[in-house]
Amino acid sequence: SYVLTQPPSVSVAPGQTARITCGGNNIGSKSVHWYQQKPGQAPVLVVYDDSDRPSGIPERFSGSNSGNTATLTISRVEAGDEADYYCQVWDSSSDHLVFGTGTKVTVL
Amino acid sequence: QVQLQESGPGLVKPSETLSLTCAVSGYSISSGYYWGWIRQPPGKGLEWIGSIYHSGSTYYNPSLKSRVTISVDTSKNQFSLKLSSVTAADTAVYYCARQQGDILTGYFSPDDAFDIWGQGTMVTVSS
């Protein structure tokens, strides 16, 4: 089955840039979606189709996808960005949806 | 606006069937979109359970497929999850969610992102 690998944790100082990777075989050929989840809350979609943002999501959140790695970039990180982040794709070879392992972002 | 609300027993005995319903308000399920179930065991990551189109077409996680049934009731504007033969490993917060599509073109796909989520409901499997 298709596997998406994320680093367990990323630490970043306020005002700096956080980059969260999502690795998968030829992931660049798939559409990648990203979710933010704060403790005790449901996930929130922050980027879809590799690099599009839903309405209400700050421009500080951006995405890219190429080769075997997709990346969620959070610019000018704020304390409120501290959360778990998950990537997600659809594996068309087996017709099923896969979530990444998740990355905990800590704002120092 | 569109809202989703999960409901069902918070405690299920081992070997029994877990049954949850997701009530949709603010939008008619019969008009489109894929609708999905996702779960999250305590302290762990997200796991997709399956998705259903308003027509009843379904996709399931292969690891759960033998135990899962997702159905839609357009008359009640809700969709449901049944998971049979549960064990402690099925203890989790269960979320229902809508998969975004293009309402203007009428193009909906199971690879769409989950743009609207319910608040989640905790289900514990224990005797």
Side-chain angles (χ1 to χ4, degrees):
Chain A
S1 62
Y2 195 79
V3 176
L4 293 174
T5 302
Q6 299 180 234
S9 63
V10 167
S11 297
V12 59
Q16 299 304 304
T17 297
R19 293 180 179 84
I20 305 161
T21 59
C22 176
N25 185 36
N26 198 26
I27 194 174
S29 66
K30 306 179 185 300
S31 288
V32 180
H33 316 306
W34 290 91
Y35 303 88
Q36 175 194 70
Q37 186 181 32
K38 296 181 179 180
Q41 298 183 19
V44 173
L45 180 66
V46 293
V47 166
Y48 66 96
D49 292 348
D50 297 340
S51 58
D52 290 333
R53 276 186 315 277
S55 61
I57 300 301
E59 291 183 5
R60 300 184 299 103
F61 288 84
S62 62
S64 62
N65 185 19
S66 178
N68 293 318
T69 305
T71 303
L72 174 70
T73 301
I74 311 173
S75 304
R76 301 180 300 283
V77 166
E78 303 174 355
D81 299 330
E82 191 164 278
D84 294 326
Y85 291 83
Y86 296 90
C87 56
Q88 177 237 305
V89 301
W90 176 261
D91 179 21
S92 57
S93 66
S94 58
D95 274 350
H96 80 274
L97 190 150
V98 181
F99 284 102
T101 50
T103 298
K104 181 175 180 60
V105 170
T106 300
V107 180
L108 301 171
Chain B
Q1 75 275 23
V2 181
Q3 292 184 313
L4 286 70
Q5 179 68 59
E6 305 90 348
S7 63
L11 181 64
V12 181
K13 290 182 168 54
S15 80
E16 295 190 344
T17 295
L18 179 159
S19 295
L20 296 175
T21 296
C22 182
V24 179
S25 59
Y27 184 80
S28 172
I29 281 185
S30 59
S31 297
Y33 293 103
Y34 276 87
W35 307 85
W37 287 98
I38 303 98
R39 70 181 184 178
Q40 185 171 37
K44 296 188 177 181
L46 301 172
E47 180 181 33
W48 174 70
I49 300 171
S51 297
I52 188 167
Y53 193 49
H54 68 90
S55 63
S57 172
T58 53
Y59 294 88
Y60 295 135
N61 187 323
S63 68
L64 299 170
K65 189 172 185 176
S66 63
R67 299 193 291 130
V68 171
T69 302
I70 296 176
S71 59
V72 63
D73 186 339
T74 54
S75 67
K76 295 182 178 179
N77 214 41
Q78 64 187 33
F79 60 106
S80 300
L81 167 69
K82 291 188 185 299
L83 180 64
S84 64
S85 304
V86 297
T87 69
D90 296 309
T91 294
V93 175
Y94 285 76
Y95 295 101
C96 61
R98 187 187 80 170
Q99 293 184 258
Q100 69 179 158
D102 191 333
I103 195 68
L104 297 179
T105 63
Y107 180 76
F108 304 100
S109 171
D111 70 353
D112 288 328
F114 293 103
D115 63 341
I116 301 174
W117 295 65
Q119 64 184 24
T121 187
M122 181 67 199
V123 179
T124 301
V125 178
S126 174
S127 55

